Amino acid sequence: MKLIKKIFVILFLALISLGLILFGCYLAVTKNVSLAPEKLLLNEKSIVLYDENLNPVQHVASHLKQTVKLTELPEYTKQAFISIEDKRFYKHNGFDFKGIVRATLHNLKAGSFKEGASTISQQLIKNTHLTQEKTLKRKLREWKLTKQLEKHYTKDEILEKYLNTIYFGHNCFGITSAADFYFGKKPSELSLADSAILAGLVKSPNNYSPFKNPNRCQARKAVVLNVMQKNRKINQNELKNALNTPLPTPNQTTSSGQYAHFVFNELTQIADSNGIKIGGNIEIYTDYNPTLQAELEKFSKDYAKYDQAIFILDNITHGYKACFSTIGNAPRLPGSLLKPLAVYAPALEENIISPATPILDEKMNYGGYAPENYDGEFHGYVSARESVEKSLNIPAVKTLQTLGASKAAAYLQKLGLPIDKEDETLALALGGIKNGFPLQDLTEAYSTFANNGNKYPCTFIKELKINGKTVYTRPNKSTKIFHEDTAYLMTDILKSTAQKGTAKKLRNLSFDIAAKTGTVGTKKGNTDAYALSYTAKDTIGVWFGNADNTFIDTTGGGLPCNLLFSLNEFLEQEYAKTQAKIPSFSIPKNVQKIALDKTAYYDTHTILLADDYSPAEYQLFELFKTSAIPLNKSTSFSKPQIIAPRISLTEKGVKIDFDSRAPRYYQYRIERYDYATHTTLYNGKFIETFLDDTIEDNKRYEYIVTPIYKERNGVSMKLPIISTGNKNKLDKDKIIDEDWWEY
């Protein structure tokens, strides 16, 4: 008994000691921590967005002082937030211990931390006073500050401050800006359905946005309304009517700034992905270029008859410098813009093609799928380079057939352009997919070529600080999609496209630029027009169309290319102000320019290395990977060879007809043997027909033709032996064979 008593005393003293230690830690950790009333209100310093030169962007926080009094809100609006976030708000002193126990039991049962128990008071403190770190130190500070908050403010004051500082996504801080952005209303005008949507957004603005995820938003809205009905804050009819109220649509909203709109969209995604709670003093660092943005928006006004999307990406920092969009980040069908990404670059990577590979552009039918070119014509044999330059459809489909649609889909997946399994068809070569892609994603995919085949995370936000502590920096780890040689070959092909292909409106720019255009439409008209370019410094994507898919009167190589030219020209001028230039693309060591036999390439569609003695005019130059340089070399000039001429006996003599493909640059020597004499009959330039009219009767002649190039004898061709027979007999036979009575 004494032993048990002794153990009890020891345990009691240990608990007392532990309590004193914890209390001491609490006092030490929270010694200098005190509530700052000014942090409980949003002001122009609460959210600061910095441009590329670390200057604050003024217009971003223009709405932050638009606070609302709690008395101005409908009762159901207040109850929506309390019901879903903290139903015992008016009963506890800042900490809901029942809620903590309940959440703990649920989490233990689920085997994960799915349910939290933070009260509205705790959330307000976390959002305005604390960093994002999840430590005991921060929790102890939260405890002290929450107690101070509850001591100095009434419940209504706390709720009011909470609603005026909470983040609702889409650059909406506080319920005033959220009501305006999502519904075009003042907070006092919010309906029950509106209130349920806003209350549901607090948990995850990115996941429950009515504009990004309407299905999830509708489900979350139903959760809020059902909890309100369960807590007897609304009746059954109110529940039913609110559930049947349609979600808001994006065209009801306005944005306070094009660039800021995309920044804050990304902010919610970063917060969700990294477990960051948005609140407090927020500093956002970007690559924003105000001068470029102003110029972009000025240019865009010249094309105001269309919806537009324009993104300008820095290929070195991988951050967006400027953007403009009248359709947000809505996906559109990509058209021919997909050809380099899904077909040609993967085929180059897999060594299926080189830029010189000849492809027969001909009428094809693949089980009912019969692709046609934009001009309705077939162009015979064209190189892979020319196929991209002219954006020909049939060569793209043929190349994809060899590559395989599933392999093309795998490359698109790695490029951040996933497609459905049902889209893995030959139509993929022409951008024929179900859902399409946002222009931002296509722009980022093309920047992979500018970065030597490496795909970098491309973002608007470079760094994010909350309450002075960095909680996010742009990842700089790349994924290798294509080898450096593949990326350069694709870039060089797209340089040709900008010089003499569908993007040739860019040809007068004085620096290296690669480009591709794309047009989506039917015989009735076009719905989408793209022009996309990249240099060693920047990637620019331009899209024109109409959000409702009505027809437009331009193609990718038309007005979008005009705008692309203007933007690139402006960028060059801006670089020149700091004595900077846009550098040329650097050719890697494992890519070489190779001389090919031009005659073989165009006459027989054969890729042969040029003869060592080949004149410049008979050489064709193309780029190859060093690992895929052709092995066979032409001997057209070092060892001339021709197709055997045709020989025949006629009344006038022995006729020798040369093949029309026989090279004109050879000299030709024709020799005759009759077993007694050897005669050189001809030694000169190419002739289509040679006639030997010096033959005699009853002779057997053998003719030898030798091609010669610069005194180098080629392969001599022995022609079939000719027997002349008796000329008089030939004349008699002719009389018998023909109508003899006419003689």
Side-chain angles (χ1 to χ4, degrees):
M1 191 71 180
K2 288 183 179 181
L3 181 61
I4 295 174
K5 199 172 190 180
K6 190 174 182 180
I7 293 172
F8 178 78
V9 171
I10 293 172
L11 288 174
F12 178 74
L13 291 174
L15 288 172
I16 292 294
S17 300
L18 181 61
L20 290 172
I21 292 171
L22 290 175
F23 184 67
C25 290
Y26 171 75
L27 292 177
V29 168
T30 63
K31 180 180 178 181
N32 298 317
V33 174
S34 60
L35 192 69
E38 68 276 7
K39 291 184 178 181
L40 299 174
L41 295 173
L42 289 178
N43 55 62
E44 63 275 5
K45 295 182 180 179
S46 296
I47 299 102
V48 183
L49 191 155
Y50 295 97
D51 65 19
E52 62 178 354
N53 295 316
L54 302 182
N55 297 316
V57 180
Q58 298 298 323
H59 68 273
V60 173
S62 60
H63 61 277
L64 293 180
K65 291 185 178 180
Q66 298 176 2
T67 57
V68 63
K69 295 291 185 182
L70 193 66
T71 53
E72 298 175 30
L73 295 175
E75 182 63 24
Y76 50 69
T77 300
K78 296 183 288 184
Q79 292 302 328
F81 286 88
I82 292 170
S83 294
I84 199 65
E85 289 296 317
D86 187 3
K87 69 177 181 179
R88 291 171 46 80
F89 175 67
Y90 282 103
K91 296 179 181 179
H92 60 66
N93 64 348
F95 305 96
D96 186 2
F97 294 104
K98 288 185 178 180
I100 293 172
V101 172
R102 182 181 64 252
T104 301
L105 292 174
H106 287 173
N107 289 335
L108 287 172
K109 187 177 180 180
S112 63
F113 293 97
K114 290 186 176 181
E115 188 173 325
S118 292
T119 64
I120 285 176
S121 301
Q122 287 175 282
Q123 289 184 51
L124 178 59
I125 290 299
K126 284 190 284 188
N127 291 345
T128 59
H129 281 68
L130 301 174
T131 63
Q132 299 292 313
E133 57 185 348
K134 296 181 179 180
T135 62
L136 178 61
K137 181 179 177 180
R138 199 206 74 162
K139 199 67 181 174
L140 292 174
R141 289 179 172 178
E142 177 192 315
W143 185 278
K144 181 177 180 179
L145 290 170
T146 302
K147 286 173 62 179
Q148 290 182 358
L149 178 71
E150 289 277 339
K151 181 179 179 180
H152 289 90
Y153 296 96
T154 67
K155 288 290 187 180
D156 282 352
E157 288 174 330
I158 293 172
L159 182 60
E160 180 179 293
K161 293 179 186 300
Y162 171 80
L163 292 175
N164 280 311
T165 57
I166 199 72
Y167 184 56
F168 291 92
H170 295 285
N171 193 16
C172 298
F173 290 85
I175 196 168
T176 300
S177 60
D180 178 56
F181 181 82
Y182 287 103
F183 310 106
K185 297 179 180 180
K186 297 177 181 178
S188 59
E189 299 170 340
L190 290 170
S191 68
L192 173 59
D194 301 337
S195 303
I197 289 172
L198 294 181
L201 279 170
V202 173
K203 183 178 181 180
S204 178
N206 185 55
N207 284 323
Y208 298 122
S209 166
F211 306 151
K212 290 185 176 182
N213 296 299
N215 292 335
R216 289 182 184 175
C217 177
Q218 183 67 33
R220 181 67 176 165
K221 168 186 164 186
V223 169
V224 175
L225 291 169
N226 280 301
V227 171
M228 291 180 71
Q229 195 269 335
K230 182 180 178 182
N231 294 340
R232 299 181 180 179
K233 302 302 178 183
I234 58 174
N235 59 40
Q236 194 65 38
N237 285 335
E238 289 172 320
L239 170 67
K240 182 179 179 181
N241 290 335
L243 285 173
N244 291 330
T245 301
L247 297 178
T249 53
N251 60 9
Q252 294 174 309
T253 70
T254 58
S255 174
S256 61
Q258 281 286 330
Y259 192 89
H261 173 78
F262 283 94
V263 167
F264 285 98
N265 272 352
E266 189 172 278
L267 178 64
T268 58
Q269 296 168 7
I270 290 172
D272 278 356
S273 300
N274 296 275
I276 298 170
K277 189 70 176 178
I278 300 301
N281 289 328
I282 300 171
E283 296 173 276
I284 303 171
Y285 297 85
T286 71
D287 293 276
Y288 179 56
N289 184 321
T291 305
L292 178 59
Q293 180 72 27
E295 197 70 14
L296 187 159
E297 293 188 20
K298 185 181 79 173
F299 285 141
S300 70
K301 290 178 182 178
D302 297 333
Y303 308 95
K305 62 184 290 189
Y306 309 108
D307 278 313
Q308 304 164 42
I310 309 157
F311 290 88
I312 303 180
L313 177 65
D314 189 312
N315 289 331
I316 299 169
T317 67
H318 318 299
Y320 285 94
K321 301 162 78 167
C323 69
F324 180 84
S325 178
T326 60
I327 62 166
N329 222 357
R332 304 287 299 195
L333 293 179
S336 292
L337 215 61
L338 210 59
K339 289 174 181 175
L341 302 171
V343 180
Y344 290 107
L348 286 167
E349 180 72 8
E350 299 291 331
N351 291 320
I352 292 171
I353 62 169
S354 72
T357 299
I359 307 170
L360 182 57
D361 181 23
E362 60 183 340
K363 186 175 181 63
M364 297 295 294
N365 191 304
Y366 301 92
Y369 174 59
E372 294 183 358
N373 292 317
Y374 184 79
D375 59 6
E377 301 292 330
F378 303 107
H379 304 84
Y381 277 98
V382 291
S383 67
R385 180 183 293 274
E386 188 179 356
S387 299
V388 178
E389 287 174 1
K390 296 180 178 179
S391 200
L392 299 176
N393 290 338
I394 294 166
V397 173
K398 282 189 168 185
T399 304
L400 178 62
Q401 186 184 35
T402 304
L403 173 70
S406 61
K407 185 162 286 188
Y411 276 98
L412 288 176
Q413 178 77 33
K414 291 190 290 184
L415 285 165
L417 302 171
I419 61 172
D420 294 338
K421 190 69 177 176
E422 62 192 80
D423 288 328
E424 293 181 15
T425 67
L426 293 180
L428 176 63
L430 313 184
I433 55 178
K434 182 180 179 182
N435 296 317
F437 304 110
L439 179 63
Q440 183 180 345
D441 294 353
L442 291 165
T443 303
E444 292 176 14
Y446 267 87
S447 72
T448 302
F449 299 135
N451 284 289
N452 300 317
N454 298 306
K455 176 76 163 59
Y456 284 88
C458 302
T459 65
F460 284 86
I461 298 175
K462 180 163 48 178
E463 182 182 4
L464 174 64
K465 290 183 179 180
I466 295 182
N467 295 330
K469 185 177 179 64
T470 298
V471 296
Y472 167 85
T473 54
R474 178 186 298 142
N476 196 40
K477 186 177 181 180
S478 64
T479 301
K480 174 63 75 175
I481 310 297
F482 304 109
H483 284 92
E484 186 181 26
D485 48 11
T486 295
Y488 184 82
L489 291 178
M490 193 71 251
T491 293
D492 197 71
I493 291 172
L494 294 174
K495 278 174 59 181
S496 296
T497 305
Q499 286 298 312
K500 54 184 179 180
T502 58
K504 62 186 176 183
K505 287 189 175 182
L506 306 179
R507 66 183 178 274
N508 290 328
L509 293 171
S510 61
F511 47 86
D512 260 10
I513 186 166
K516 183 71 182 78
T517 63
T519 306
V520 179
T522 64
K523 293 180 180 179
K524 294 181 179 179
N526 299 327
T527 55
D528 302 81
Y530 295 90
L532 193 148
S533 72
Y534 60 91
T535 65
K537 280 185 170 287
D538 304 290
T539 299
I540 306 177
V542 174
W543 169 87
F544 283 0
N546 289 314
D548 60 1
N549 283 315
T550 51
F551 295 132
I552 57 176
D553 55 356
T554 187
T555 63
L559 297 180
C561 229
N562 289 346
L563 177 54
L564 200 58
F565 179 93
S566 298
L567 291 171
N568 277 289
E569 187 178 48
F570 179 78
L571 280 168
E572 181 188 28
Q573 294 167 358
E574 288 297 294
Y575 290 131
K577 291 178 182 178
T578 59
Q579 308 302 313
K581 292 184 178 181
I582 299 174
S584 299
F585 296 110
S586 299
I587 184 167
K589 294 180 180 178
N590 52 352
V591 171
Q592 292 183 34
K593 181 181 282 189
I594 301 298
L596 302 178
D597 185 296
K598 191 174 185 179
T599 303
Y601 188 79
Y602 287 114
D603 288 354
T604 64
H605 317 297
T606 305
I607 297 179
L608 295 174
L609 296 176
D611 194 313
D612 293 337
Y613 297 96
S614 173
E617 62 267 29
Y618 293 104
Q619 294 179 15
L620 170 69
F621 288 91
E622 188 52 277
L623 297 176
F624 287 87
K625 298 179 183 180
T626 54
S627 60
I629 294 174
L631 299 177
N632 297 323
K633 181 181 286 190
S634 170
T635 56
S636 298
F637 298 92
S638 59
K639 193 176 181 180
Q641 188 170 354
I642 60 171
I643 299 172
R646 295 184 303 277
I647 187 169
S648 59
L649 180 62
T650 70
E651 289 183 37
K652 295 180 180 180
V654 174
K655 185 172 71 167
I656 298 175
D657 293 309
F658 286 84
D659 190 278
S660 61
R661 292 169 291 177
R664 270 58 172 172
Y665 46 79
Y666 289 164
Q667 292 283 109
Y668 290 87
R669 183 172 66 239
I670 302 175
E671 301 170 273
R672 187 183 69 191
Y673 293 85
D674 64 3
Y675 297 104
T677 62
H678 164 233
T679 307
T680 298
L681 301 175
Y682 179 80
N683 197 339
K685 295 181 179 180
F686 171 83
I687 52 175
E688 291 184 0
T689 300
F690 174 79
L691 181 67
D692 180 10
D693 57 1
T694 64
I695 60 174
E696 300 177 4
D697 288 344
N698 299 312
K699 290 273 189 176
R700 287 170 59 83
Y701 292 109
E702 182 179 48
Y703 293 83
I704 296 177
V705 178
T706 304
I708 305 167
Y709 181 74
K710 291 187 177 180
E711 300 182 358
R712 292 188 189 88
N713 290 334
V715 178
S716 297
M717 306 292 297
K718 289 185 178 182
L719 305 184
I721 294 174
I722 292 291
S723 297
T724 59
N726 187 294
K727 188 174 185 300
N728 293 328
K729 185 175 183 298
L730 283 174
D731 291 341
K732 292 177 183 178
D733 290 342
K734 180 177 179 181
I735 294 173
I736 294 172
D737 289 342
E738 297 182 10
D739 296 331
W740 60 269
W741 53 84
E742 293 184 0
Y743 284 85

